[in-house]
Amino acid sequence: MHSLPSQAIRPFSHSPSLPLPSPSSHASRCLRFLPIFLKPKSRSEFLAFPPKSPPLIVRGCSSFSVKSPSELRTSSNPDDKLRSLRQLFSKPGVGIDAYILPSQDAHQSEFIAECYMRRAYISGFTGSAGTAVVTKDKAALWTDGRYFLQAEKQLSSSWILMRAGNFGVPITSEWLNDVLAPGGRVGIDPQFLFSADAAEELREAIAKKNHELVFIYDINLVDEIWKESRPKPPNNLIRVHDLKYAGLDVASKLSSLRSELVQAGSSALVVSMLDEIAWLLNLRGSDIPHSPVMYAYLIVEIDKAKLFVDNSKVTPDVMEHLKSAGIELKPYDAILSEVKSLAAQGARLWLDRSSLNAAIVNTYTAACERQYKHIEKTNKTPKNDGLNGWSSAPAGVYKASPISWAKAIKNAAELEGMRNCHLRDAAALAQFWAWMEEEIDKGVKLTEVEVADKLLEFRSRQSGFMDTSFDTISGSGANGAIIHYKPEPDNCSIVDRNKLFLLDSGAQYVDGTTDITRTVHFGEPKAWEKECFTRVLQGHIALDQAVFPENTPGFVLDAFARSYLWKIGLDYRHGTGHGVGAALNVHEGPQSISFRYGNMTPLQKGMIVSNEPGYYEDHTFGIRIENLIVVKEVNTPIRFGGIDYLGFEKITFVPIQAKLIDLSLLSAEEITWLNDYHSQVWEKVSPLLDGSALQWLQNNTQPLVMQ
């Protein structure tokens, strides 16, 4: 057994009482909290029933069978899909005028299994963030600035592209209020696609025009069209995440969590976020591409816990691991019946309405109402059992999940694993860049896909490699301007030595998760390209060197990374930093660094975020420089107000290409920063290399001299 850091349990008991941004709007990369569906709304924490009346519920019955993921966009004409979907609007028991399809699965995941990619199937747009809305005569898709160019390419003429965040572009509820006649019926699938908060806010927003939100349970209208071509749900084995990487055993984590439950006056917590379940139980899976998680729900009570998961995924090792932690297994689809049962027992459930799907919250609310009616009818006075609160009078505790905060603050073992895997990842990247430069210099024609595949080959040779942490963004020239570009074998470019090349990639290792972006030029860059690159670099350096008081939310730091671009009127359409999990999701909350100031989560010692400013010239080139950084305490000469001050520690060590830098724009301090960084890169990574890769690293870590 490895010794546990003394501060390892601290995050649970020190989680701030702050409303967290909704994971239902968790987009990928840096814009995790983009409100595509609705305008942002603050959410207070309270102990009560939600006072809103529920939407009308429609129940249908149908079965679906499930097809190859490659046919998400190609199995039929987009117009045929829309026509088939609209025909279902008038189906008995449905009767709607519009249908909304966001990107999420039942757990509000960013990356999702192929069988849940309903929005991609119906629209053809495969970006990770977006909302499709189909009426009887219109189809519109909302996405953010990272995906504008991609959506332009992928959407057919049947779709209206709504560039979310641009001036004059309405949000979905505003658009529906405008295009539907008063009294329209708007259908959603609450069990699979909407968090309780998102559904309630949508209901309120469309009620302004007397529209009705209709919960369509039991069937999803897109599934009705997808039929036998729909991919099957994943069924991959779960594995135990070793304690030497987790740093804290399950029993200790559960003990801390239960203390939080007692303090909040709750008797049980319902957890649906997959990375929270994986972290709390020290388990990892592979149900979702790039994310080492498994589809499951978890209920933690004061004296027991239940994991709702497909039993076929549980190996004997995992079974023993769970048993030793006192965790009972239940079928995945038994979650709603368990919620009903807990309400009947008088349990006070802690429910994070921003992440739990509407089906769970509404099931609990309805069960509580039935319990209250029973109490009234029998004239029984609720009794306090001394442990779980009112034993016969249930009430929801509506607060942000405490696991999110605890998971974000990495313990010593998690930080060690992250540092170690980043060094191995850096060695793989050095080997890759040495290979690529040699191939380009020989005149070999490389496609963007071949480049991405070769990088995967180098990474897969590193010890502990498990998977990529997201689809590699390998973009030459104009494709680099597509912020979330993914090259396809039948639709990609040759890497042009005379154009900028942007490579954003990452990996999942058994001990950590990486995410790095470098932009390079294999020929002679133009003066304008060098100026843009240098200003992005200056922003990157400014954020890396930032020192700030504790309890500072990430949005305060966003301007550090943009200021050098702003000076000449440039900017970028994504956030500057996202949280990163430790051998978990490459994008995690609640922390972020973004110009969207709704996220008030303070950056805390032990959190990991990305530092990735960029600049993108549409249809021309893209630039981004990304490192991962750990929030650390900084010893300042003065501590105003007696508080601590924080800064950052770099854990990514890959050279930044010198030929793209306009040294005349850099200060002496900035050149010193770059030289110090490259000195660290050489010192840390060179022992892992030999041959051409070692020579490449030496060539690209030479000190720069100020002009």
Side-chain angles (χ1 to χ4, degrees):
M1 296 289 290
H2 289 262
S3 61
L4 303 178
S6 60
Q7 77 278 17
I9 303 179
R10 183 180 65 83
F12 274 114
S13 59
H14 287 72
S15 56
S17 297
L18 292 171
L20 302 183
S22 168
S24 66
S25 60
H26 281 194
S28 64
R29 313 302 299 133
C30 309
L31 290 183
R32 300 214 39 180
F33 305 112
L34 175 70
I36 291 176
F37 308 118
L38 303 156
K39 289 180 177 175
K41 174 183 177 182
S42 63
R43 180 167 59 85
S44 59
E45 300 175 354
F46 57 95
L47 290 168
F49 280 115
K52 311 298 182 183
S53 58
L56 178 66
I57 296 177
V58 174
R59 295 196 177 271
C61 57
S62 178
S63 62
F64 59 80
S65 48
V66 287
K67 193 174 177 181
S68 160
S70 64
E71 301 199 343
L72 277 175
R73 288 180 285 151
T74 60
S75 60
S76 64
N77 185 290
D79 292 336
D80 292 339
K81 294 177 184 177
L82 286 174
R83 191 177 302 111
S84 297
L85 179 63
R86 286 168 174 145
Q87 288 174 353
L88 296 177
F89 285 10
S90 56
K91 182 178 179 179
V94 179
I96 58 175
D97 302 291
Y99 195 58
I100 303 179
L101 283 158
S103 304
Q104 288 77 21
D105 57 19
H107 304 266
Q108 307 302 300
S109 306
E110 172 196 357
F111 300 125
I112 60 178
E114 291 161 344
C115 61
Y116 301 132
M117 295 180 181
R118 298 177 174 97
R119 189 223 63 219
Y121 173 79
I122 200 69
S123 69
F125 169 65
T126 59
S128 66
T131 304
V133 181
V134 179
T135 70
K136 291 179 177 179
D137 59 355
K138 293 180 176 64
L141 183 130
W142 280 256
T143 191
D144 61 69
R146 299 164 298 155
Y147 295 104
F148 290 167
L149 296 182
Q150 179 179 340
E152 287 175 4
K153 286 186 173 184
Q154 293 183 328
L155 292 177
S156 75
S157 59
S158 300
W159 288 85
I160 305 166
L161 173 58
M162 295 292 189
R163 294 171 173 81
N166 279 8
F167 180 76
V169 176
I171 58 175
T172 53
S173 57
E174 293 170 341
W175 186 77
L176 283 167
N177 285 343
D178 184 54
V179 302
L180 293 181
R185 289 164 54 88
V186 179
I188 65 170
D189 179 336
Q191 185 161 344
F192 293 107
L193 302 178
F194 276 80
S195 72
D197 269 355
E200 178 57 29
E201 291 179 25
L202 177 60
R203 186 193 69 80
E204 291 179 351
I206 65 174
K208 295 175 182 177
K209 286 294 185 73
N210 200 32
H211 300 316
E212 182 179 22
L213 186 63
V214 180
F215 280 6
I216 305 176
Y217 281 113
D218 299 333
I219 64 170
N220 181 283
L221 300 189
V222 173
D223 295 348
E224 291 288 284
I225 301 167
W226 218 342
K227 297 187 182 300
E228 68 278 357
S229 64
R230 183 175 177 230
K232 294 181 179 180
N235 192 32
N236 301 317
L237 295 178
I238 302 169
R239 60 184 169 88
V240 176
H241 186 54
D242 199 298
L243 184 61
K244 67 182 178 181
Y245 305 130
L248 190 63
D249 61 40
V250 179
S252 298
K253 291 180 179 180
L254 287 174
S255 177
S256 296
L257 178 57
R258 285 167 174 147
S259 296
E260 287 274 302
L261 294 182
V262 172
Q263 186 176 353
S266 170
S267 55
L269 171 70
V270 182
V271 189
S272 69
M273 296 295 287
L274 303 184
D275 61 334
E276 293 185 8
I277 296 172
W279 179 85
L280 185 66
L281 301 184
N282 288 347
L283 295 176
R284 297 296 187 267
S286 57
D287 282 350
I288 296 178
H290 316 302
S291 302
V293 298
M294 59 282 174
Y295 277 108
Y297 294 99
L298 177 68
I299 294 180
V300 178
E301 300 179 59
I302 296 298
D303 56 351
K304 56 189 171 183
K306 297 172 183 176
L307 178 65
F308 299 79
V309 67
D310 185 341
N311 194 60
S312 65
K313 301 177 182 180
V314 181
T315 66
D317 284 347
V318 171
M319 183 71 78
E320 181 62 29
H321 172 79
L322 293 172
K323 184 179 179 181
S324 65
I327 298 163
E328 180 184 353
L329 285 183
K330 291 277 191 176
Y332 176 77
D333 56 6
I335 182 66
L336 294 183
S337 61
E338 185 70 20
V339 167
K340 290 179 186 177
S341 175
L342 286 170
Q345 297 169 39
R348 297 172 69 93
L349 289 194
W350 183 328
L351 304 169
D352 185 343
R353 291 175 53 92
S354 70
S355 62
L356 287 175
N357 60 54
I360 291 176
V361 175
N362 289 343
T363 295
Y364 180 69
T365 301
C368 287
E369 289 173 348
R370 287 193 296 271
Q371 183 71 1
Y372 274 118
K373 288 178 182 178
H374 174 73
I375 291 172
E376 282 183 13
K377 187 176 180 180
T378 58
N379 292 317
K380 289 184 177 180
T381 303
K383 296 180 180 180
N384 194 318
D385 66 3
L387 175 66
N388 293 345
W390 292 110
S391 59
S392 58
V397 178
Y398 296 96
K399 300 178 65 175
S401 168
I403 304 173
S404 176
W405 179 262
K407 173 173 57 65
I409 300 178
K410 310 299 185 282
N411 60 47
E414 290 172 323
L415 289 175
E416 180 183 2
M418 289 292 280
R419 293 185 183 106
N420 290 339
C421 78
H422 273 79
L423 295 182
R424 302 196 304 277
D425 201 57
L429 280 157
Q431 293 164 350
F432 162 79
W433 285 118
W435 166 84
M436 189 171 181
E437 284 190 5
E438 182 178 345
E439 295 295 291
I440 294 291
D441 288 344
K442 290 190 300 187
V444 177
K445 301 295 184 183
L446 299 173
T447 69
E448 295 163 331
V449 168
E450 289 171 334
V451 166
D453 289 345
K454 192 67 177 181
L455 175 56
L456 175 58
E457 179 184 325
F458 282 114
R459 276 194 166 118
S460 64
R461 298 173 187 170
Q462 294 296 321
S463 63
F465 175 82
M466 305 296 291
D467 191 6
T468 54
S469 57
F470 56 94
D471 286 325
T472 297
I473 300 169
S474 168
S476 177
N479 290 336
I482 304 173
I483 297 173
H484 268 227
Y485 174 70
K486 179 189 175 183
E488 302 285 355
D490 58 348
N491 184 26
C492 69
S493 297
I494 300 291
V495 176
D496 190 332
R497 68 173 294 114
N498 296 313
K499 295 180 180 179
L500 287 170
F501 175 70
L502 186 151
L503 186 74
D504 185 356
S505 67
Q508 294 286 3
Y509 295 93
V510 68
D511 52 346
T513 303
T514 71
D515 183 3
I516 173 175
T517 309
R518 289 294 183 265
T519 307
V520 302
H521 200 295
F522 298 105
E524 292 300 323
K526 300 173 184 176
W528 175 241
E529 292 170 335
K530 292 176 67 172
E531 177 171 357
C532 294
F533 181 90
T534 305
R535 290 185 180 276
V536 170
L537 174 60
Q538 288 177 296
H540 181 96
I541 295 172
L543 179 58
D544 180 86
Q545 293 184 313
V547 176
F548 49 95
E550 62 179 340
N551 297 319
T552 299
F555 77 83
V556 173
L557 304 180
D558 184 76
F560 282 61
R562 297 180 193 270
S563 60
Y564 292 90
L565 291 166
W566 285 350
K567 287 179 180 179
I568 59 171
L570 301 182
D571 206 347
Y572 50 95
R573 297 189 186 107
H574 60 73
T576 299
H578 57 82
V580 179
L584 259 177
N585 290 357
V586 73
H587 307 126
E588 75 168 10
Q591 73 275 25
S592 71
I593 300 174
S594 175
F595 60 98
R596 288 179 167 81
Y597 49 82
N599 186 359
M600 298 299 295
T601 303
L603 296 180
Q604 292 290 310
K605 180 182 176 182
M607 287 182 171
I608 296 177
V609 293
S610 63
N611 173 5
E612 51 179 309
Y615 173 66
Y616 311 88
E617 204 153 281
D618 288 356
H619 311 293
T620 306
F621 63 78
I623 297 168
R624 184 157 66 250
I625 303 171
E626 177 184 18
N627 284 350
L628 297 191
I629 49 181
V630 181
V631 182
K632 67 174 184 177
E633 187 174 338
V634 175
N635 291 321
T636 55
I638 301 170
R639 295 195 174 188
F640 181 80
I643 63 174
D644 290 336
Y645 279 75
L646 304 174
F648 297 113
E649 168 202 345
K650 292 176 284 294
I651 59 173
T652 303
F653 294 100
V654 175
I656 296 169
Q657 192 178 54
K659 75 157 69 171
L660 272 170
I661 300 172
D662 182 345
L663 288 175
S664 68
L665 294 176
L666 294 186
S667 67
E669 184 182 15
E670 289 166 336
I671 291 177
T672 297
W673 180 95
L674 190 62
N675 288 339
D676 287 347
Y677 176 61
H678 281 159
S679 176
Q680 292 179 60
V681 171
W682 173 255
E683 178 184 348
K684 294 175 181 292
V685 183
S686 61
L688 306 178
L689 299 172
D690 56 22
S692 61
L694 182 62
Q695 186 61 54
W696 178 89
L697 190 72
Q698 184 178 36
N699 294 343
N700 284 273
T701 54
Q702 294 301 306
L704 301 177
V705 180
M706 189 170 185
Q707 294 179 344

